[in-house]
Amino acid sequence: MSIVRTNTPRADRAAVDRLANFGVATVHEAQGRTGLLAPGMRPIYAGARIAGTAVTVSLPPCDNWMIHVAVEQCREGDVLVVAPTSYSDAGYFGELLGCSLQARGVRGLVIDAGVRDVRDLTAMAFPVWSKVISAQGTVKATLGSVNVPVVCAGALVHPGDVIVADDDGVCVVPRSRAMKVAEASAAREAKEAKSRARLKAGELGLDIYDMRETLARLGLEYRDGSAED
Amino acid sequence: MSIVRTNTPRADRAAVDRLANFGVATVHEAQGRTGLLAPGMRPIYAGARIAGTAVTVSLPPCDNWMIHVAVEQCREGDVLVVAPTSYSDAGYFGELLGCSLQARGVRGLVIDAGVRDVRDLTAMAFPVWSKVISAQGTVKATLGSVNVPVVCAGALVHPGDVIVADDDGVCVVPRSRAMKVAEASAAREAKEAKSRARLKAGELGLDIYDMRETLARLGLEYRDGSAED
Amino acid sequence: MSIVRTNTPRADRAAVDRLANFGVATVHEAQGRTGLLAPGMRPIYAGARIAGTAVTVSLPPCDNWMIHVAVEQCREGDVLVVAPTSYSDAGYFGELLGCSLQARGVRGLVIDAGVRDVRDLTAMAFPVWSKVISAQGTVKATLGSVNVPVVCAGALVHPGDVIVADDDGVCVVPRSRAMKVAEASAAREAKEAKSRARLKAGELGLDIYDMRETLARLGLEYRDGSAED
Amino acid sequence: MSIVRTNTPRADRAAVDRLANFGVATVHEAQGRTGLLAPGMRPIYAGARIAGTAVTVSLPPCDNWMIHVAVEQCREGDVLVVAPTSYSDAGYFGELLGCSLQARGVRGLVIDAGVRDVRDLTAMAFPVWSKVISAQGTVKATLGSVNVPVVCAGALVHPGDVIVADDDGVCVVPRSRAMKVAEASAAREAKEAKSRARLKAGELGLDIYDMRETLARLGLEYRDGSAED
Amino acid sequence: MSIVRTNTPRADRAAVDRLANFGVATVHEAQGRTGLLAPGMRPIYAGARIAGTAVTVSLPPCDNWMIHVAVEQCREGDVLVVAPTSYSDAGYFGELLGCSLQARGVRGLVIDAGVRDVRDLTAMAFPVWSKVISAQGTVKATLGSVNVPVVCAGALVHPGDVIVADDDGVCVVPRSRAMKVAEASAAREAKEAKSRARLKAGELGLDIYDMRETLARLGLEYRDGSAED
Amino acid sequence: MSIVRTNTPRADRAAVDRLANFGVATVHEAQGRTGLLAPGMRPIYAGARIAGTAVTVSLPPCDNWMIHVAVEQCREGDVLVVAPTSYSDAGYFGELLGCSLQARGVRGLVIDAGVRDVRDLTAMAFPVWSKVISAQGTVKATLGSVNVPVVCAGALVHPGDVIVADDDGVCVVPRSRAMKVAEASAAREAKEAKSRARLKAGELGLDIYDMRETLARLGLEYRDGSAED
């Protein structure tokens, strides 16, 4: 059964844009260390940093037909999330599809498979997170579904969830929690800013985070190693 | 039996130079999706794009002696293609061999193993596609062969075939088909240029490629997802 | 038993700084092809090149507590070397710890696991060699040890050993051999400089290294391949 | 937030027991090729074939504390499904936990990580599907959750879903679809029994499944290859 | 262009049956260490040992249609060799196809992808060498070719070549060299039989193969290690 | 510099034989979770369980010459431990070397590379733990060393250390600690025997190990999930 769900609700735009200010590591921590895609998902070029709402695609391995179907469901501010139903490292997506998505205001692509034309995609600043770069083409023969829940690189993604992606990888934030996670991310950053200043000044984490006593209680021993030779 | 075949015929230079204008993805499609090396073959720096005629080397694992033998067989416009007879991630090739090949007009190296001195090779703009970067040296103890057919990263390469390589990976074009594939590549690019203009203008692939009817016939269903919450 | 060895001796600073002039491939060759870490250890950005003395950390998988303990043991000129006791691709180290180490004059991090905040670490020019980039956080629950011998990415590292790292990977030089290896590296470079000049001038390695006779004796055959077609 | 959900509903026992008659490949096909765990999930011994209802465990990497918590939630006919929140190949489960589960009538374990004591587990006929065998122990330091939805080896598993596992791997059937999938599996097997008889008698799939015309229409060409030599 | 080559010549049956007496390691050595498929190709059960003539299949990833086409081209004594054109770990082949091949006298399957129904295939003693076991099904949508040269798991296989397979893996012997390689294998085995008797009697390879002098000349040093403590 | 250290001391035989009674998981725990080789080290057949004293071999990749040298250094009760200096999956060891070692009373082989003739080695009950099975042969061209410390599959092994291996993998026990670790293993087994009896009787680990209070204090919550549907 192949379906395309249209007009699916998106996470609140203000929350999404706020999340775009934070790195993946911060967001991941802020929502209790959930939602991270497998670390094999790498950006095709360094420096991209996005947040957007997921349009999801579940498709057969080595068949990119449903990506064409999904383009129509994309709006400004979306991120396309593509998950084949079986492992594949073929190149499902290239520069032409990138032009099409960019024309609709899509902010990037996350694909648990391969991408090609990376030179062109880089030149046009369309960011892609994929597990491989591959020129291997795909067919257009079998249906899949758009805007159904998918497991992408080990993480569950629902349509409308927020995708945050940067040089560290990709994280998904459930639609209903977007604003809360944005706030928690901001709180975390504020706290880290204070630690950062102290660490740069030479203070130790051992002292800032008050670790010495617990370490000693658990039995950590210090021994002079200077005599060794 | 270890042999060096000398003066092996090369693909037509005009065809090679024409192929250099196209990306690997285009060439791979243009010859019917054949000849692609495994996607694990990655360039040591971004942006290189070459086409050249293959001088092939079959050598024992962790032994780079035959590369020295192969250098002598290289001419201006060649690409060296190195395939160990057993899996290895050692570094068979470094900056000195790069200097030697560059002095002979060789356009790059494709090796189903490791390369080292990548900082220097990048500085001198000698492009290499390899499956790993490794400082591990090799010995010079056992013979291999030069300019025999080799399987390199899963693809069959004959001496004189055209190697096309860019940020997407590496593709081999059989010597006798070089001009035909160049022509097919040009045709493909011309066709894509038209699609690109329409896609950038916001038209959908669904319409440009006339997919709607077939999708419907195969049973693709659209459902309003706006009520979800 | 968890211990922190303090004031462990470091390799001679002059030797370390001399080793910093050479690439990993050179140093690895100069010490008889020993001490190389597995090639999966990659820098988070291109172009970094360091040498420093190892402060070692053995820690439980997915627990970065001991890194905080280790920071205190670091001095100017050190390199932190982190080895979990079981395979893990989580992100044990981020920008805050980078600030802390940089404030103490540490030259870089080598970790047989994951790192995060790579955008920030790149911006602040704190080099890291890791086997993966991962935003996945770790806990602070279980003790480990600092400045004990560790196996990191397949290589044995003692505290105070010299770590040399560049775009080719990471190599460890035993503390007591640092100056000898620096000298052998210099000798190797001097010798290579001569070969380089001749190779750039178009001479062949076959002649420079006098290989032809041995190759012929072992049975290498040359055959004219021009007739093929 | 760490929770244990108690008394979660299970799939209908009659449906589960009926599913136990079919292989994983059949069940996977019968539910439209969904629910298969990654093929890296292998049984520790050949010949085991089970179906049971999932008790799910989400736990921190290298920490098996929550397995002890989960045991209490298990009943006769269950299968324990364990998914660490980050990649790990440590051995979370051994013979003692196997005794504990077997005493409660649990039918097997599915773990996206490592298992140990496989010799003992085999001797006591407690089947385990895991991605690795590893003697590496884990700690008991950090909480996780029991009977929450988990992504295990790439597949989404809810508590109470049916787990079907055999030498081909592991498949999950949603709780509410268990009887329907059992019926579809039976229908599929009946159909295959007919094909089997004909194939064994020497008939060709080309004829049984009426493929010749379609193949010819798509352009499949037959050429006599006997002259080659 | 999709073609099926019919009546392609097979290697001499007497040579094939003679090769069936030798292990893969012996045959691989006897033909100069060529023709070995990648070691990832493993048998689904231990103890199978076959030799047969290759019927080759090149097919699109995740599409097993051409296997049905290939069955018709198989004769008694053949081995089916299947190579997808892009990496895939789906299960292209199961028990029904096994019945069909076995009915035609086919001796086994070699597939650079996945197989399923391994319990049934084992029970019916139809041996398969594959890189993975996977219940994931495939489609029947796109053409490929039968009896064309294929690269399978890194080795070039022509139709009619001899496939030798056992617990060590899979090796291909070119059709025209089959008898010569069988003879060389027999000679190798005869020689090894003599060594075996001497080694079992306690003689050392160092003496049997006369290695001591060469080792000493190359600089191997013996040192008494008994004082160590 | 290639050396063979002769007459290196072995761990106490009584301690070794006592360790042979325990599984790898037990021994690994008993010595504080150290010394485990990477889980990729798998036995070629199920059911083998050995302990013996290490004779170590460091050798160049794809060159097994030093194994012949090492055989002479082996005595009754030893286990040969082979570590190439660079990654390799070739088959360094086969049945003939197995005969030679078995004639000397060697108890098994541990090799961080490939092994071949596994059918014969299984038939003669010579156990091997390797990371791969591969028929790919090696050369005899370059020296290495015998009875020097090696890193094998991520663990440091000194000559004379105890190697314990079973279906769970391989563990190394430092020579000087052999008897202490044997005693700790026995103590651990005795303790586990008591737990086993209680677990089999249906008691829960939660109660036997007194975990409930700590779990509650850390915040574990129980919620009734029966209403879900």
Side-chain angles (χ1 to χ4, degrees), chain A residues 29 33 47 168 196 212 221 223 225-226 228-229, chain C residues 2 4-7 72 95 116-119 138 175:
Chain A
E29 291 289 340
R33 293 191 177 166
D168 282 355
R196 184 178 296 110
R212 293 188 193 274
E221 271 182 52
R223 296 189 193 163
S226 61
E228 177 196 13
D229 232 351
Chain C
S2 297
V4 180
R5 296 179 59 253
T6 61
N7 300 309
E72 189 178 27
E95 172 251 349
R116 56 186 187 173
D117 300 333
V118 297
R119 178 194 179 105
T138 53
R175 177 163 60 95

PDB file of all heavy atoms in Angstrom, chain A residues 29 33 47 168 196 212 221 223 225-226 228-229, chain C residues 2 4-7 72 95 116-119 138 175:
ATOM      1  N   GLU A  29      21.461  16.943  23.303  1.00  0.00           N
ATOM      2  CA  GLU A  29      21.524  16.948  24.768  1.00  0.00           C
ATOM      3  C   GLU A  29      20.252  17.539  25.361  1.00  0.00           C
ATOM      4  O   GLU A  29      19.699  17.026  26.337  1.00  0.00           O
ATOM      5  CB  GLU A  29      22.726  17.782  25.241  1.00  0.00           C
ATOM      6  CG  GLU A  29      24.085  17.174  24.939  1.00  0.00           C
ATOM      7  CD  GLU A  29      24.386  15.952  25.787  1.00  0.00           C
ATOM      8  OE1 GLU A  29      23.766  15.781  26.843  1.00  0.00           O
ATOM      9  OE2 GLU A  29      25.239  15.151  25.373  1.00  0.00           O
ATOM     10  N   ARG A  33      19.139  13.389  25.021  1.00  0.00           N
ATOM     11  CA  ARG A  33      19.924  12.432  24.230  1.00  0.00           C
ATOM     12  C   ARG A  33      19.070  11.457  23.451  1.00  0.00           C
ATOM     13  O   ARG A  33      19.306  10.255  23.471  1.00  0.00           O
ATOM     14  CB  ARG A  33      20.877  11.664  25.130  1.00  0.00           C
ATOM     15  CG  ARG A  33      21.918  12.564  25.696  1.00  0.00           C
ATOM     16  CD  ARG A  33      23.000  11.826  26.369  1.00  0.00           C
ATOM     17  NE  ARG A  33      23.995  12.786  26.835  1.00  0.00           N
ATOM     18  CZ  ARG A  33      24.942  12.509  27.679  1.00  0.00           C
ATOM     19  NH1 ARG A  33      25.077  11.290  28.128  1.00  0.00           N
ATOM     20  NH2 ARG A  33      25.802  13.434  28.052  1.00  0.00           N
ATOM     21  N   GLY A  47      30.386  23.102   7.057  1.00  0.00           N
ATOM     22  CA  GLY A  47      29.897  24.427   7.389  1.00  0.00           C
ATOM     23  C   GLY A  47      28.400  24.627   7.286  1.00  0.00           C
ATOM     24  O   GLY A  47      27.883  25.629   7.772  1.00  0.00           O
ATOM     25  N   ASP A 168      28.249  18.020  12.783  1.00  0.00           N
ATOM     26  CA  ASP A 168      28.273  16.885  13.705  1.00  0.00           C
ATOM     27  C   ASP A 168      27.314  15.766  13.303  1.00  0.00           C
ATOM     28  O   ASP A 168      27.395  14.666  13.847  1.00  0.00           O
ATOM     29  CB  ASP A 168      27.907  17.346  15.129  1.00  0.00           C
ATOM     30  CG  ASP A 168      29.060  18.039  15.836  1.00  0.00           C
ATOM     31  OD1 ASP A 168      30.165  18.088  15.272  1.00  0.00           O
ATOM     32  OD2 ASP A 168      28.853  18.545  16.956  1.00  0.00           O
ATOM     33  N   ARG A 196      32.472  27.982  29.684  1.00  0.00           N
ATOM     34  CA  ARG A 196      33.481  28.259  28.674  1.00  0.00           C
ATOM     35  C   ARG A 196      34.440  29.352  29.147  1.00  0.00           C
ATOM     36  O   ARG A 196      35.656  29.225  29.035  1.00  0.00           O
ATOM     37  CB  ARG A 196      32.816  28.657  27.360  1.00  0.00           C
ATOM     38  CG  ARG A 196      33.803  28.870  26.211  1.00  0.00           C
ATOM     39  CD  ARG A 196      33.076  29.203  24.926  1.00  0.00           C
ATOM     40  NE  ARG A 196      32.237  28.104  24.483  1.00  0.00           N
ATOM     41  CZ  ARG A 196      30.910  28.105  24.494  1.00  0.00           C
ATOM     42  NH1 ARG A 196      30.252  29.202  24.889  1.00  0.00           N
ATOM     43  NH2 ARG A 196      30.234  27.062  24.115  1.00  0.00           N
ATOM     44  N   ARG A 212      35.871  16.387  42.466  1.00  0.00           N
ATOM     45  CA  ARG A 212      36.972  15.752  43.193  1.00  0.00           C
ATOM     46  C   ARG A 212      36.523  14.804  44.294  1.00  0.00           C
ATOM     47  O   ARG A 212      37.052  13.703  44.446  1.00  0.00           O
ATOM     48  CB  ARG A 212      37.893  16.820  43.762  1.00  0.00           C
ATOM     49  CG  ARG A 212      38.653  17.604  42.689  1.00  0.00           C
ATOM     50  CD  ARG A 212      39.707  18.524  43.311  1.00  0.00           C
ATOM     51  NE  ARG A 212      40.207  19.483  42.340  1.00  0.00           N
ATOM     52  CZ  ARG A 212      41.215  19.242  41.497  1.00  0.00           C
ATOM     53  NH1 ARG A 212      41.825  18.074  41.511  1.00  0.00           N
ATOM     54  NH2 ARG A 212      41.627  20.158  40.648  1.00  0.00           N
ATOM     55  N   GLU A 221      42.826   6.884  42.735  1.00  0.00           N
ATOM     56  CA  GLU A 221      44.091   7.078  43.435  1.00  0.00           C
ATOM     57  C   GLU A 221      45.065   7.887  42.595  1.00  0.00           C
ATOM     58  O   GLU A 221      45.204   7.656  41.400  1.00  0.00           O
ATOM     59  CB  GLU A 221      44.767   5.721  43.667  1.00  0.00           C
ATOM     60  CG  GLU A 221      44.375   5.045  44.960  1.00  0.00           C
ATOM     61  CD  GLU A 221      45.157   3.745  45.066  1.00  0.00           C
ATOM     62  OE1 GLU A 221      46.403   3.768  44.933  1.00  0.00           O
ATOM     63  OE2 GLU A 221      44.508   2.716  45.259  1.00  0.00           O
ATOM     64  N   ARG A 223      49.091   8.736  42.061  1.00  0.00           N
ATOM     65  CA  ARG A 223      50.426   8.244  42.393  1.00  0.00           C
ATOM     66  C   ARG A 223      51.455   9.065  41.649  1.00  0.00           C
ATOM     67  O   ARG A 223      51.301   9.332  40.461  1.00  0.00           O
ATOM     68  CB  ARG A 223      50.597   6.795  41.933  1.00  0.00           C
ATOM     69  CG  ARG A 223      49.673   5.845  42.658  1.00  0.00           C
ATOM     70  CD  ARG A 223      50.049   4.422  42.319  1.00  0.00           C
ATOM     71  NE  ARG A 223      48.983   3.541  42.758  1.00  0.00           N
ATOM     72  CZ  ARG A 223      48.814   2.297  42.352  1.00  0.00           C
ATOM     73  NH1 ARG A 223      49.681   1.787  41.479  1.00  0.00           N
ATOM     74  NH2 ARG A 223      47.827   1.565  42.807  1.00  0.00           N
ATOM     75  N   GLY A 225      54.310   9.670  39.413  1.00  0.00           N
ATOM     76  CA  GLY A 225      54.926   8.863  38.355  1.00  0.00           C
ATOM     77  C   GLY A 225      56.273   9.408  37.923  1.00  0.00           C
ATOM     78  O   GLY A 225      56.833   8.955  36.927  1.00  0.00           O
ATOM     79  N   SER A 226      56.788  10.379  38.660  1.00  0.00           N
ATOM     80  CA  SER A 226      58.005  11.055  38.184  1.00  0.00           C
ATOM     81  C   SER A 226      59.250  10.189  38.277  1.00  0.00           C
ATOM     82  O   SER A 226      60.227  10.416  37.572  1.00  0.00           O
ATOM     83  CB  SER A 226      58.221  12.352  38.976  1.00  0.00           C
ATOM     84  OG  SER A 226      58.376  12.044  40.345  1.00  0.00           O
ATOM     85  N   GLU A 228      59.550   7.150  37.431  1.00  0.00           N
ATOM     86  CA  GLU A 228      59.644   6.185  36.315  1.00  0.00           C
ATOM     87  C   GLU A 228      60.758   6.576  35.336  1.00  0.00           C
ATOM     88  O   GLU A 228      60.907   7.728  34.993  1.00  0.00           O
ATOM     89  CB  GLU A 228      58.315   6.169  35.563  1.00  0.00           C
ATOM     90  CG  GLU A 228      58.350   5.260  34.349  1.00  0.00           C
ATOM     91  CD  GLU A 228      57.197   5.538  33.389  1.00  0.00           C
ATOM     92  OE1 GLU A 228      56.533   6.579  33.544  1.00  0.00           O
ATOM     93  OE2 GLU A 228      56.987   4.729  32.507  1.00  0.00           O
ATOM     94  N   ASP A 229      61.479   5.601  34.893  1.00  0.00           N
ATOM     95  CA  ASP A 229      62.395   5.857  33.763  1.00  0.00           C
ATOM     96  C   ASP A 229      63.073   4.637  33.191  1.00  0.00           C
ATOM     97  O   ASP A 229      63.085   3.562  33.674  1.00  0.00           O
ATOM     98  CB  ASP A 229      63.445   6.903  34.132  1.00  0.00           C
ATOM     99  CG  ASP A 229      63.451   7.997  33.068  1.00  0.00           C
ATOM    100  OD1 ASP A 229      62.778   7.785  32.049  1.00  0.00           O
ATOM    101  OD2 ASP A 229      64.061   9.058  33.260  1.00  0.00           O
TER     102      ASP A 229
ATOM    103  N   SER C   2      41.651   2.058  39.681  1.00  0.00           N
ATOM    104  CA  SER C   2      41.738   3.264  38.861  1.00  0.00           C
ATOM    105  C   SER C   2      42.797   4.198  39.424  1.00  0.00           C
ATOM    106  O   SER C   2      42.707   4.606  40.585  1.00  0.00           O
ATOM    107  CB  SER C   2      40.385   3.982  38.860  1.00  0.00           C
ATOM    108  OG  SER C   2      39.405   3.156  38.278  1.00  0.00           O
ATOM    109  N   VAL C   4      45.660   7.606  38.745  1.00  0.00           N
ATOM    110  CA  VAL C   4      46.150   8.740  37.967  1.00  0.00           C
ATOM    111  C   VAL C   4      47.623   8.883  38.301  1.00  0.00           C
ATOM    112  O   VAL C   4      47.980   9.146  39.451  1.00  0.00           O
ATOM    113  CB  VAL C   4      45.412  10.034  38.342  1.00  0.00           C
ATOM    114  CG1 VAL C   4      45.933  11.207  37.518  1.00  0.00           C
ATOM    115  CG2 VAL C   4      43.917   9.865  38.169  1.00  0.00           C
ATOM    116  N   ARG C   5      48.462   8.698  37.308  1.00  0.00           N
ATOM    117  CA  ARG C   5      49.884   8.878  37.568  1.00  0.00           C
ATOM    118  C   ARG C   5      50.260  10.323  37.243  1.00  0.00           C
ATOM    119  O   ARG C   5      49.977  10.833  36.164  1.00  0.00           O
ATOM    120  CB  ARG C   5      50.720   7.877  36.773  1.00  0.00           C
ATOM    121  CG  ARG C   5      50.387   6.436  37.269  1.00  0.00           C
ATOM    122  CD  ARG C   5      51.124   5.322  36.557  1.00  0.00           C
ATOM    123  NE  ARG C   5      52.554   5.463  36.673  1.00  0.00           N
ATOM    124  CZ  ARG C   5      53.339   5.844  35.664  1.00  0.00           C
ATOM    125  NH1 ARG C   5      52.822   6.096  34.475  1.00  0.00           N
ATOM    126  NH2 ARG C   5      54.625   5.976  35.851  1.00  0.00           N
ATOM    127  N   THR C   6      50.862  10.976  38.215  1.00  0.00           N
ATOM    128  CA  THR C   6      51.176  12.397  38.060  1.00  0.00           C
ATOM    129  C   THR C   6      52.654  12.589  37.750  1.00  0.00           C
ATOM    130  O   THR C   6      53.478  11.735  38.061  1.00  0.00           O
ATOM    131  CB  THR C   6      50.851  13.150  39.363  1.00  0.00           C
ATOM    132  OG1 THR C   6      51.668  12.611  40.408  1.00  0.00           O
ATOM    133  CG2 THR C   6      49.381  12.990  39.749  1.00  0.00           C
ATOM    134  N   ASN C   7      52.950  13.715  37.127  1.00  0.00           N
ATOM    135  CA  ASN C   7      54.345  14.084  36.858  1.00  0.00           C
ATOM    136  C   ASN C   7      55.120  13.012  36.110  1.00  0.00           C
ATOM    137  O   ASN C   7      56.321  12.868  36.297  1.00  0.00           O
ATOM    138  CB  ASN C   7      55.080  14.364  38.182  1.00  0.00           C
ATOM    139  CG  ASN C   7      54.434  15.489  38.944  1.00  0.00           C
ATOM    140  OD1 ASN C   7      54.202  16.560  38.377  1.00  0.00           O
ATOM    141  ND2 ASN C   7      54.118  15.246  40.208  1.00  0.00           N
ATOM    142  N   GLU C  72      43.821  17.984  34.074  1.00  0.00           N
ATOM    143  CA  GLU C  72      44.689  18.518  35.129  1.00  0.00           C
ATOM    144  C   GLU C  72      46.124  18.034  34.999  1.00  0.00           C
ATOM    145  O   GLU C  72      47.064  18.704  35.447  1.00  0.00           O
ATOM    146  CB  GLU C  72      44.127  18.122  36.504  1.00  0.00           C
ATOM    147  CG  GLU C  72      44.828  18.817  37.657  1.00  0.00           C
ATOM    148  CD  GLU C  72      44.211  18.429  38.998  1.00  0.00           C
ATOM    149  OE1 GLU C  72      43.643  17.334  39.119  1.00  0.00           O
ATOM    150  OE2 GLU C  72      44.295  19.242  39.937  1.00  0.00           O
ATOM    151  N   GLU C  95      33.714  21.035  22.286  1.00  0.00           N
ATOM    152  CA  GLU C  95      34.391  22.330  22.283  1.00  0.00           C
ATOM    153  C   GLU C  95      34.800  22.798  23.681  1.00  0.00           C
ATOM    154  O   GLU C  95      35.862  23.398  23.845  1.00  0.00           O
ATOM    155  CB  GLU C  95      33.456  23.351  21.617  1.00  0.00           C
ATOM    156  CG  GLU C  95      33.897  24.777  21.683  1.00  0.00           C
ATOM    157  CD  GLU C  95      33.017  25.572  22.647  1.00  0.00           C
ATOM    158  OE1 GLU C  95      31.970  25.043  23.080  1.00  0.00           O
ATOM    159  OE2 GLU C  95      33.396  26.715  22.953  1.00  0.00           O
ATOM    160  N   ARG C 116      32.743  15.652  18.966  1.00  0.00           N
ATOM    161  CA  ARG C 116      31.645  16.483  18.483  1.00  0.00           C
ATOM    162  C   ARG C 116      32.023  17.964  18.561  1.00  0.00           C
ATOM    163  O   ARG C 116      33.108  18.286  19.014  1.00  0.00           O
ATOM    164  CB  ARG C 116      30.367  16.200  19.259  1.00  0.00           C
ATOM    165  CG  ARG C 116      30.469  16.355  20.761  1.00  0.00           C
ATOM    166  CD  ARG C 116      29.153  15.902  21.398  1.00  0.00           C
ATOM    167  NE  ARG C 116      29.091  16.154  22.816  1.00  0.00           N
ATOM    168  CZ  ARG C 116      27.979  15.955  23.535  1.00  0.00           C
ATOM    169  NH1 ARG C 116      26.883  15.532  22.949  1.00  0.00           N
ATOM    170  NH2 ARG C 116      27.978  16.193  24.833  1.00  0.00           N
ATOM    171  N   ASP C 117      31.119  18.812  18.126  1.00  0.00           N
ATOM    172  CA  ASP C 117      31.403  20.251  18.016  1.00  0.00           C
ATOM    173  C   ASP C 117      32.555  20.497  17.050  1.00  0.00           C
ATOM    174  O   ASP C 117      33.400  21.383  17.272  1.00  0.00           O
ATOM    175  CB  ASP C 117      31.756  20.849  19.393  1.00  0.00           C
ATOM    176  CG  ASP C 117      30.646  20.717  20.420  1.00  0.00           C
ATOM    177  OD1 ASP C 117      29.477  20.643  20.030  1.00  0.00           O
ATOM    178  OD2 ASP C 117      30.962  20.689  21.622  1.00  0.00           O
ATOM    179  N   VAL C 118      32.629  19.774  15.970  1.00  0.00           N
ATOM    180  CA  VAL C 118      33.800  19.885  15.096  1.00  0.00           C
ATOM    181  C   VAL C 118      33.866  21.250  14.408  1.00  0.00           C
ATOM    182  O   VAL C 118      34.945  21.717  14.055  1.00  0.00           O
ATOM    183  CB  VAL C 118      33.855  18.751  14.046  1.00  0.00           C
ATOM    184  CG1 VAL C 118      33.991  17.405  14.733  1.00  0.00           C
ATOM    185  CG2 VAL C 118      32.663  18.765  13.128  1.00  0.00           C
ATOM    186  N   ARG C 119      32.734  21.862  14.211  1.00  0.00           N
ATOM    187  CA  ARG C 119      32.718  23.201  13.628  1.00  0.00           C
ATOM    188  C   ARG C 119      33.461  24.185  14.538  1.00  0.00           C
ATOM    189  O   ARG C 119      34.316  24.942  14.087  1.00  0.00           O
ATOM    190  CB  ARG C 119      31.256  23.609  13.459  1.00  0.00           C
ATOM    191  CG  ARG C 119      30.971  24.974  12.906  1.00  0.00           C
ATOM    192  CD  ARG C 119      29.475  25.266  13.159  1.00  0.00           C
ATOM    193  NE  ARG C 119      29.071  26.560  12.701  1.00  0.00           N
ATOM    194  CZ  ARG C 119      28.347  26.788  11.602  1.00  0.00           C
ATOM    195  NH1 ARG C 119      27.948  25.786  10.857  1.00  0.00           N
ATOM    196  NH2 ARG C 119      28.011  28.012  11.255  1.00  0.00           N
ATOM    197  N   THR C 138      28.103  11.325  26.337  1.00  0.00           N
ATOM    198  CA  THR C 138      28.546  10.236  27.201  1.00  0.00           C
ATOM    199  C   THR C 138      28.173  10.566  28.643  1.00  0.00           C
ATOM    200  O   THR C 138      27.797  11.692  28.949  1.00  0.00           O
ATOM    201  CB  THR C 138      30.080  10.064  27.096  1.00  0.00           C
ATOM    202  OG1 THR C 138      30.683  11.336  27.353  1.00  0.00           O
ATOM    203  CG2 THR C 138      30.475   9.576  25.721  1.00  0.00           C
ATOM    204  N   ARG C 175      59.192   7.309  23.994  1.00  0.00           N
ATOM    205  CA  ARG C 175      59.862   8.440  24.630  1.00  0.00           C
ATOM    206  C   ARG C 175      61.387   8.379  24.517  1.00  0.00           C
ATOM    207  O   ARG C 175      62.054   9.359  24.151  1.00  0.00           O
ATOM    208  CB  ARG C 175      59.463   8.480  26.106  1.00  0.00           C
ATOM    209  CG  ARG C 175      60.119   9.550  26.928  1.00  0.00           C
ATOM    210  CD  ARG C 175      59.366   9.766  28.223  1.00  0.00           C
ATOM    211  NE  ARG C 175      59.311   8.580  29.042  1.00  0.00           N
ATOM    212  CZ  ARG C 175      60.181   8.312  30.044  1.00  0.00           C
ATOM    213  NH1 ARG C 175      61.150   9.178  30.338  1.00  0.00           N
ATOM    214  NH2 ARG C 175      60.067   7.211  30.739  1.00  0.00           N
TER     215      ARG C 175
END
